[in-house]
Amino acid sequence: MDGVPRVPEQRRSGTPGDTSSAEVAADPAPVSDLLRFSVLGPVRAWRGGEQLATGSPQQRALLAALLLREGRTATAGELIDAVWGDESPQQALAALRTYASRIRKILDPGVLVSESGGYAIRSLDGDALDLTAAESLWTDAEKARHAGDLCQARALLNKALGLWDGEPLANVPGPYAETQRTRLEEWRLQLLEARLDMDLEQGCHAEAVSELTALTAAHPLRERLRELLMLALYRSGRQAEALAVYADTRRLLADELGVDPRPGLAELQQRILNADPSLAEPSAPAAEPAATPVRPAQLPATVPDFTGRASFVDELSEVLSSAHSETGTGSVMAVSAVAGIGGVGKTTLAVHVAHASRAAFPDGQLYVDLQGAGARAAEPETVLGSFLRALGTADSAIPDTLEERAALYRSTLDGRRVLVLLDNARDAAQVRPLLPGTEGCAALITGRVRMVDLAGAHLVDLDVMSPEEALLLFTRIVGEERVASEREAALDVVAACGFLPLAIRIAASRLAARRTWTVSVLAAKLADERRRLDELQAGDLAVKATFELGYGQLEPPQARAFRLLGLADGPDISLAAAAAALNLDQDETEDLLESLVDTSLLESAAPGRYRYHDLVRLYARACAERDELPPEEREAAMSRLLDFYLATAAGVYAIERPGDRLVDHLEPTSHPGISFAGSREAQDWLYAEANCLIACVRQSADGPRLRRSVDLLWAAKDLAESGANSRAYEIAATAVRDAARGSEDIRAEARARTTLTNVLLIAGRFDEAEEEARLAMQRADEAGDMLPNCWAANDRGIIAIYQNRHADGESYLEQAISNFRADGNAVGEASARCNLSRIHLAMGRLSSAIELAQQGIDVYDRMGLTLRLANGRYALGMALTRAGKFTEALNQLTEALALFHENRQPLWEGVTHFRIAEAHLAAGRAPLAASHAEQAIALRGIGGEWRRGTVLTVLGKALAAMGQIDRARACWQEALAIYERLGSDEAGEMRQLLSPMAA
C-alpha cells in the first residue's frame, strides 16, 4: 500500500471490487464533469470537456494497463511486467508507485484504488472508456443484425469504428501495450469486415470497392478483404477485375507464404467464372436471418366508394393469384392488360384489385403513371431508375442504358413477390422493359390501346358501367337520402353521363358540393345542348363529354385558368409559374387552382404544385382553341410562362456566377421572376423545376419565342452538368438548334449550338462538340453576336485539350480571352485563363500554367464565385501536380472537391477524384490513388465513356504499383475496349501498357 487514504467508492454495476469497501457511494458527478478515457488512439483522459495531463510514456502505459483490465486488480509485479517487461529498472516498484500517485491526483477520488499490493481503476461510468463504448456498440450491432435491421447494424458499427483515432495505445511503451495494440487493430479489421459485409448485403457494392481497394493494399495477406473485394467488383459488373483480384492474391500468397488461397476464396472464383446467379443477390450468413429488403408500397389510395365491376375484379384477381400458385403450375409471370376509353375507370379498377391482392405480394407493390396518352410518354429507362431506387438500389449502382437497367431490375425482383402496376401505358413497346419476368411477380397494366402484341398477357376490355352500377356509384357519392326520392332524375343523370365512371363522379361531386340543388336541377342542366353536342359516343368524344359537364359549370376566371394552364407541356406546374402564365398574383391564382382541384379537373401533386390528368389536359387545350378569346391570349400566356422561367433561371445564374455578363446578353423579359435569398435556395428551385423548364424550352422552340427559349436553356446550363438532367437537356438543345436552323435565325442558331456544344463536351463526344462549336462561332460572326464567340471559343479550347491539339487549343483560348475582355466579362476571362493553364501544362510550360490558374483563382476569390473557384482550384491542382508540388496540388484539388459537392456537381466531383488519384499516383501513394479512382467510378459522374476510360487507366496504374497486376490488366483491357470503340488516340497507350504483360 502506498499510504494514501481510501475514500468511499462509487461503484458501477457489474464491476468487481473488494467486498470490504464502504457501502456508501459518493454523490454522482455532474454529467459535464464525468471522466472519460481513450485507448483506441493516444492514451488520453478528460474531465468533461477538459483534457487531463496523463504524464510520461511509462505513466500512460500504467494507465492503459489499468484501464484495459476493466476494473480488475493488477498486482505490482503484473504492472511492472506490463510497463517494462524483462528490462525493468532496479527501482521499478518505486517508479510504479510514483506514477500511480500522479495518476490518482489527476483523477476523481476513489477512481484509482490500491488493494492487495496492486491497483485498479473503478467507479467509472459505463461508457467512460472508448473501448467499452465500442464493445457496447458492437453488441448492439449484432443484435440489430440478428433482428434483420441491417441499416441500424451498419450505423452502430460505423459509430464504433469512428471511436478509433489512429493507432491504438499510440506511443505507449512496453510489451503489454504492444500485445494490446495488435489485438485492438485485429478487432478493428474484424469490425470493418463485418460492416463491409453488410454494405454488400444492402447493395452498396459500387461504394465499397473504393474502401476495399485501399484496405487490401494496406493488408495484402488478409484473404477476407480480398474475398469481399471480389464480390463487390462482380456485383458492380466488373467480372474481369474480380477474377484478376483472385489471380493477384494467389500469386502473392505463393510468393510470400508458399500457400494457396483458402477454399472459400477459390470457391468464390469458380462461382464468378460460372456467373453463379446467386452472387448477384446479397445473402446473409446462414446462421442469421436475412436482412429485411426494401418493400415499396407505391399504390395510390383506392376510392372508398368503389362500385360494381365484380366480374372484372374476380377475373383479374384470379390471374394475379396464378403468379404464386402453390402447385407449381402457375405461369412464369402473371400479366394482365386492361384497355378501354378514357374515363371508363381503368385506373380505379386496377388500383382496387391491386389493393385487394396485396397480401399475395408481400415484397411490395410498384406503381407508375406512364403518361401514355400525352405528347411525351414516360421513358422506360426513367421509370426503371425510379423502380430500382424504390427497391433499395443506390443511385450509384443504377446503370445508364435501358438494357442494363432492365436486366438489373429483373435480377432485383428475382425471388421476390412484387406486384407492378403500370398505369396509362402508351403501347406494348413501352411496357416490355418494365415487366418483372420471374415467377411470383405480376404486372397489371392499363392503357387506351388493346395490347394484342404483348405476349402472354391476359387482355381485359373494360366497357362503361351498367345502369345499375352507374346509379349505385352516383348514389354513394351524392347520398341515399337525396337520390331515393328522385330515382328517375338520377337515372337521367347517369344516362347523360354515358355511364362513364369519371363523368358520373364529376357530376355527382358537383351535386354533393351544392346542398341547395336537387337531382332534378342537375338533370335539367344536363338536358341542354351541351349534352346534345356530346352525344355520349364511345372513345375520346365520350371523355370530352364527361369533362364538359365540369367545365361548363366553372366560373369565367376558373375556366380561363383551366384552359390556359393546360397549354403548358411540363409534367406539373408550380403556383408561381401558374401565376405568371395567368398574369395574376399568387393568392388569387391559388384560390382558382384549389377550386379546380375541388372539381376534380386538376390534381394537387404536392403543396404548391398542380397537374392535369393527361386526358383532362388534352380537353383543356381543346377548350383553349375553341373558347379563348382573343386567340392571341394563348400565345401571351405561354410567353409569360417562358418569361417567368427565363427571368428566374437568369437570377439563379447570376447568384451562382456573380459578375458573369452572360445574363446581360439574354433576351429581355416582361416578368421579374423569383428572387432568392441565397445559392442553396436558388439551386433547389432550378433542380425542382428542371423537367418543367426543359419542357418549356422544347415547347417554345418554334415561332416568336425561339430566342428566349434558347436563352433559357443557356441560363440553365447547370442542368447539363448535373448528370440527372443531361440527356433531357441535350434533346432540348438539339430541338432549338434545329428550329433555329429551320427558321433561318442565325443568332438563335449560334446560341443553340453553343449550349449543345457544352452538353456534348461533358459527355465526352468531342468530335460532335467541336463541329457544333465551329458552326456556333461561324453563325455568331454572321449575326454579330459576341456571346457565342466568347463561350464557343472557350469550349473549343477545352476540346482541343482532350484531343491533344495544343496549338489549336492555345489559339482558341487566347481568342476567348480577347473576346471576354472586349465584353468586359472578367469571370469569363478568368475561366479561359484557367483552361489556358491546362494547355500550357500539356505543352510543358509549368510556370505559366501555374500563373494562369492562379490569376483565374484571384478573380473568382475577389468576386465570391464558389463554383467557378472550384474550377480554378481544379486547374491549379493539375498544374501543381505536374510541377511535382503534390501537397499543394492536393490541397487545391481537395478544396475544389468540397466546392463541387456543395454546388451539386457530381460530374465535376468524379473528375476531381480522378485528378486527386493522378496526384497521389505521381507522389507514389498508389493505395490512395486507387481509392480516389474507385470513388470517381462509383459516382458515375465522370462524363461519358471516354472519361471512364481515363479513370480506368489511372486505376490500373495504381493497382500495378500495388502489385495487383491481373486486376490492373483487367482495367486497361476495359479502357482499351472503350478507346477502340470511340476511335481515341489513347488506345495506343493502353496497348503499350498491356503488351509487356502479355509477353
Side-chain angles (χ1 to χ4, degrees), residues 354-427:
H355 273 284
S357 303
R358 285 183 62 184
F361 301 94
D363 297 321
Q365 305 85 39
L366 296 168
Y367 171 86
V368 65
D369 179 0
L370 294 172
Q371 304 175 35
R376 294 185 177 89
E379 294 295 335
E381 55 261 50
T382 303
V383 175
L384 285 170
S386 298
F387 278 179
L388 286 167
R389 291 184 189 94
L391 291 165
T393 306
D395 278 357
S396 58
I398 296 176
D400 294 326
T401 67
L402 171 62
E403 293 76 16
E404 289 175 320
R405 288 186 178 191
L408 179 58
Y409 169 66
R410 292 190 295 271
S411 297
T412 304
L413 290 180
D414 187 31
R416 298 190 188 183
R417 287 160 59 184
V418 174
L419 174 61
V420 184
L421 205 171
L422 305 173
D423 193 21
N424 195 10
R426 178 185 58 202
D427 52 29

Side-chain angles (χ1 to χ4, degrees), residues 68-324:
L68 290 171
R69 285 181 173 265
E70 300 179 337
R72 298 187 304 276
T73 301
T75 66
E78 289 173 334
L79 293 172
I80 289 172
D81 286 341
V83 175
W84 289 285
D86 295 334
E87 299 178 358
S88 60
Q90 290 184 350
Q91 302 299 319
L93 181 59
L96 185 72
R97 289 174 175 171
T98 299
Y99 296 146
S101 178
R102 291 173 181 172
I103 291 172
R104 182 179 285 111
K105 288 177 182 178
I106 66 171
L107 303 182
D108 295 339
V111 173
L112 177 60
V113 298
S114 305
E115 59 185 18
S116 304
Y119 298 93
I121 286 183
R122 306 263 174 81
S123 306
L124 296 182
D125 179 69
D127 287 341
L129 180 63
D130 58 356
L131 175 58
T132 306
E135 290 169 340
S136 177
L137 288 166
W138 163 249
T139 300
D140 291 343
E142 283 292 281
K143 290 177 182 176
R145 184 172 186 175
H146 281 284
D149 191 351
L150 278 188
C151 289
Q152 177 67 2
R154 287 176 68 205
L156 291 168
L157 277 183
N158 276 324
K159 190 173 180 181
L161 288 165
L163 295 175
W164 264 262
D165 186 16
E167 182 185 47
L169 306 174
N171 301 316
V172 173
Y176 180 79
E178 186 60 37
T179 300
Q180 292 300 313
R181 255 193 299 274
T182 302
R183 178 180 73 86
L184 292 173
E185 177 58 21
E186 171 62 25
W187 188 50
R188 186 185 73 87
L189 287 173
Q190 291 174 3
L191 292 182
L192 265 174
E193 289 170 345
R195 199 220 66 217
L196 286 162
D197 192 39
M198 293 182 196
D199 289 348
L200 298 190
E201 286 188 58
Q202 291 203 304
C204 301
H205 35 267
E207 296 87 343
V209 170
S210 173
E211 186 175 2
L212 283 164
T213 297
L215 285 169
T216 53
H219 307 280
L221 298 178
R222 199 170 183 92
E223 292 183 65
R224 177 56 179 158
L225 289 174
R226 299 270 183 160
E227 183 178 353
L228 290 169
L229 177 57
M230 289 173 65
L231 188 56
L233 286 167
Y234 181 75
R235 288 182 179 168
S236 300
R238 299 159 69 177
Q239 180 181 8
E241 285 186 68
L243 293 170
V245 169
Y246 179 81
D248 286 329
T249 304
R250 183 175 59 183
R251 184 176 57 253
L252 179 68
L253 292 174
D255 292 345
E256 296 290 330
L257 305 176
V259 298
D260 291 327
R262 62 186 180 85
L265 201 62
E267 179 186 351
L268 178 59
Q269 182 223 17
Q270 286 301 315
R271 293 175 69 191
I272 291 174
L273 283 171
N274 297 330
D276 186 343
S278 64
L279 285 182
E281 299 177 3
S283 57
E288 301 175 1
T292 303
V294 176
R295 278 187 8 185
Q298 297 183 339
L299 294 178
T302 188
V303 293
D305 48 25
F306 182 84
T307 302
R309 310 296 202 185
S311 61
F312 290 111
V313 171
D314 292 341
E315 180 181 355
L316 290 170
S317 298
E318 182 179 354
V319 174
L320 292 182
S321 68
S322 69
H324 57 279

Side-chain angles (χ1 to χ4, degrees), residues 300-307 348-349 351-352 355 473 476 505:
T302 188
V303 293
D305 48 25
F306 182 84
T307 302
T348 302
L349 172 64
V351 170
H352 178 80
H355 273 284
L473 174 60
R476 286 181 172 176
R505 186 172 296 279

Side-chain angles (χ1 to χ4, degrees), residues 335-608:
V335 180
S336 294
V338 181
I341 61 173
V344 80
K346 301 181 295 294
T347 298
T348 302
L349 172 64
V351 170
H352 178 80
V353 171
H355 273 284
S357 303
R358 285 183 62 184
F361 301 94
D363 297 321
Q365 305 85 39
L366 296 168
Y367 171 86
V368 65
D369 179 0
L370 294 172
Q371 304 175 35
R376 294 185 177 89
E379 294 295 335
E381 55 261 50
T382 303
V383 175
L384 285 170
S386 298
F387 278 179
L388 286 167
R389 291 184 189 94
L391 291 165
T393 306
D395 278 357
S396 58
I398 296 176
D400 294 326
T401 67
L402 171 62
E403 293 76 16
E404 289 175 320
R405 288 186 178 191
L408 179 58
Y409 169 66
R410 292 190 295 271
S411 297
T412 304
L413 290 180
D414 187 31
R416 298 190 188 183
R417 287 160 59 184
V418 174
L419 174 61
V420 184
L421 205 171
L422 305 173
D423 193 21
N424 195 10
R426 178 185 58 202
D427 52 29
Q430 183 190 27
V431 162
R432 286 190 190 96
L434 309 179
L435 298 179
T438 55
E439 184 176 0
C441 292
L444 187 54
I445 306 160
T446 73
R448 296 171 66 186
V449 178
R450 197 168 188 267
M451 298 185 188
V452 294
D453 53 343
L454 189 61
H458 177 80
L459 303 182
V460 174
D461 294 322
L462 191 61
D463 202 350
V464 297
M465 283 182 152
S466 68
E468 293 77 16
E469 288 177 335
L471 182 60
L472 180 58
L473 174 60
F474 182 82
T475 302
R476 286 181 172 176
I477 297 172
V478 173
E480 175 69 29
E481 183 179 340
R482 296 177 73 182
V483 174
S485 60
E486 297 185 274
R487 180 178 172 82
E488 291 303 319
L491 286 172
D492 289 342
V493 169
V494 296
C497 291
F499 306 113
L500 283 167
L502 185 57
I504 296 167
R505 186 172 296 279
I506 291 173
S509 298
R510 302 301 289 172
L511 181 60
R514 289 161 174 78
R515 303 304 300 177
T516 60
W517 284 13
T518 63
V519 180
S520 298
V521 169
L522 178 60
K525 288 180 176 293
L526 298 180
D528 65 11
E529 57 187 29
R530 286 171 296 183
R531 174 173 173 257
R532 292 194 300 270
L533 290 173
D534 292 335
E535 296 183 355
L536 301 177
Q537 295 182 8
D540 287 346
L541 183 60
V543 176
K544 183 177 179 181
T546 303
F547 297 144
E548 193 78 49
L549 295 172
Y551 174 70
Q553 297 174 20
L554 297 178
E555 299 297 328
Q558 294 175 313
R560 174 179 177 269
F562 174 72
R563 293 191 301 267
L564 293 181
L565 295 183
L567 297 172
D569 268 356
D572 61 5
I573 192 166
S574 68
L575 176 59
L582 297 175
N583 200 24
L584 300 172
D585 64 53
Q586 289 198 26
D587 288 342
E588 186 177 359
T589 302
E590 184 174 23
D591 289 342
L592 286 173
L593 299 187
E594 288 298 326
S595 69
L596 290 173
V597 171
D598 290 341
T599 66
S600 300
L601 289 174
L602 199 63
E603 299 175 15
S604 180

